[in-house]
Amino acid sequence: MGQRKKLRDIVGAMKDRGSLVKASLSRKPAASATRATVLRATTHKSAAAPSERRVAAVLSLGLGSGITASACIRCLAGRLGRTRNAFVALKCLFALHSIMIHRSSRDENLCLYSLCFEGKGFLNLPKFNDDFDEEAMEYSSWVRWYAALLEQSLIASRALGYVLSSSSSSSSSSSCSQLTREYKREKMRAAASSDLMRELEVLVTSLEQVCDAPGSLHLQRNDLVYGVVRSVCQDYRMIRCEVFSRVEELGGDERLGSSSPRHLTRLLSALERVEDCREKLALLFVNKANADGLWDLIARTKTKMRGLMRDGGRSSTAVLGGGGAWLPWRDRFSANAFTAVW
């Protein structure tokens, strides 16, 4: 088996060299340079992750002008679509994710991503499988998970209206970013509960996708997989932050006091879906990024909601501290009451 792997690495190195020669013969210097940079950062060599120098070279393209970045992303996506090698695929996905993370603060309107991915499941890797050996098939499961996670990240970004990435909420961000976060909070306070609910459900789906990581966590000993999980952990913090802010807003007494039974049911379902992820997320990230109080907030919100939903809305009353009384037979709230009927 060791000889087979060595032979595979040799064949892969030959393919990489042949691709570089082909790229150098292009009559378009800019396209040739972009392709060569991508090839050097996504080699077939399975022993290690690409060097920081190679990743930085790809990032310099991905963070350039719209035309340059678009060409780089299309080149990565094209190599990803053609390869059947799990290590090449993981390196392409890692490079794409790095560009998404670092470019988010300057591409809030998603123009670049819409241009490159056209709103579709652009990676299209649910059936990716490198069947060279059992280990390659295990790495293939990481490729499928990582691709689905990046696609879901873009879906969530479109739903929120801005790129869902850790860099836009970094604690070391500038005062401009602080103003952006304050603007988001004010926008959330003014949003309709139905809109916040839709956003929360999309974010919960993103958490579930993170949670759906392969069971072969021992492969994190590989530098490449470790780097992938570390990058995903950064985005996981961002997703938790977005989930927390929406649960906090939707779980306020005023919002809950004016919610229909259908809305309460949807919210309770979303909260339970988040809690179902708790054990796997703790295992994947070794309890990192779990100190924000999300689990306590969910428990408190569920306790308040269960009080509202008890007995299907037919029992006695309890003071909510404002917001009107729900009239179950009319599915609305009275304007001059301060108690909720259940």
Side-chain angles (χ1 to χ4, degrees):
M1 183 62 70
Q3 291 297 323
R4 283 192 69 206
K5 286 186 176 180
K6 288 181 180 179
L7 179 60
R8 193 190 198 202
D9 285 343
I10 292 172
V11 172
M14 292 174 63
K15 287 182 178 180
D16 292 334
R17 183 169 299 179
S19 297
L20 283 169
V21 171
K22 184 178 178 180
S24 68
L25 297 176
S26 172
R27 296 181 180 180
K28 299 178 179 179
S32 175
T34 298
R35 181 164 171 74
T37 300
V38 168
L39 287 169
R40 292 189 180 101
T42 59
T43 63
H44 286 73
K45 186 176 180 180
S46 59
S51 67
E52 292 184 5
R53 180 169 62 91
R54 299 300 187 193
V55 174
V58 174
L59 272 177
S60 69
L61 294 173
L63 301 181
S65 67
I67 295 176
T68 302
S70 176
C72 178
I73 291 176
R74 288 186 186 279
C75 189
L76 283 166
R79 182 158 171 78
L80 183 59
R82 289 187 298 270
T83 188
R84 293 295 176 268
N85 183 287
F87 293 100
V88 173
L90 274 176
K91 291 172 186 178
C92 288
L93 291 169
F94 184 76
L96 284 169
H97 191 197
S98 297
I99 292 172
M100 290 169 63
I101 289 174
H102 291 89
R103 194 178 178 90
S104 61
S105 60
R106 66 181 74 180
D107 200 30
E108 292 286 328
N109 58 6
L110 300 171
C111 285
L112 175 65
Y113 304 107
S114 297
L115 172 66
C116 295
F117 308 138
E118 300 174 352
K120 303 175 183 177
F122 66 99
L123 297 175
N124 193 27
L125 295 176
K127 296 181 180 180
F128 181 91
N129 188 39
D130 181 349
D131 58 1
F132 176 76
D133 57 19
E134 185 175 346
E135 183 184 57
M137 287 189 284
E138 285 187 327
Y139 280 106
S140 295
S141 66
W142 285 89
V143 171
R144 294 190 295 270
W145 169 72
Y146 200 16
L149 192 149
L150 296 187
E151 288 177 345
Q152 179 58 34
S153 178
L154 285 177
I155 291 172
S157 295
R158 292 189 184 100
L160 270 57
Y162 50 86
V163 178
L164 184 62
S165 170
S166 56
S167 65
S168 58
S169 307
S170 173
S171 59
S172 60
S173 56
S174 65
S175 59
C176 179
S177 296
Q178 179 64 38
L179 290 174
T180 300
R181 291 198 298 273
E182 183 59 34
Y183 168 76
K184 289 177 182 177
R185 284 194 289 268
E186 291 299 327
K187 185 178 179 181
M188 193 178 305
R189 295 187 189 109
S193 293
S194 58
D195 293 335
L196 292 177
M197 189 69 245
R198 282 192 293 269
E199 292 176 0
L200 176 61
E201 288 172 334
V202 172
L203 289 164
V204 172
T205 300
S206 297
L207 268 186
E208 289 173 332
Q209 185 58 58
V210 173
C211 177
D212 197 32
S216 51
L217 297 180
H218 63 280
L219 292 184
Q220 290 189 57
R221 291 194 297 264
N222 176 277
D223 288 344
L224 180 57
V225 175
Y226 175 78
V228 165
V229 174
R230 185 174 58 183
S231 292
V232 171
C233 184
Q234 294 174 9
D235 282 359
Y236 165 56
R237 288 189 179 96
M238 176 63 172
I239 297 170
R240 282 182 65 107
C241 178
E242 299 283 347
V243 168
F244 185 98
S245 59
R246 282 159 181 79
V247 172
E248 188 175 44
E249 181 65 28
L250 289 168
D253 288 344
E254 185 174 352
R255 292 267 190 183
L256 286 181
S258 59
S259 297
S260 68
R262 180 175 178 275
H263 179 85
L264 291 174
T265 301
R266 286 178 64 187
L267 179 55
L268 182 59
S269 174
L271 297 182
E272 290 179 341
R273 287 167 60 194
V274 175
E275 286 190 317
D276 287 342
C277 296
R278 182 173 184 174
E279 183 176 346
K280 184 62 181 287
L281 291 171
L283 182 64
L284 179 61
F285 299 120
V286 197
N287 283 317
K288 295 177 182 176
N290 289 329
D292 56 4
L294 176 62
W295 306 122
D296 290 339
L297 174 63
I298 288 176
R300 293 195 304 270
T301 304
K302 286 175 65 176
T303 297
K304 288 195 291 185
M305 291 175 62
R306 282 171 176 155
L308 286 171
M309 300 172 71
R310 188 176 301 134
D311 298 328
R314 290 186 294 273
S315 195
S316 55
T317 63
V319 175
L320 291 179
W326 172 45
L327 308 179
W329 56 92
R330 297 179 186 175
D331 195 18
R332 65 181 177 84
F333 286 77
S334 64
N336 57 355
F338 288 86
T339 58
V341 180
W342 69 75

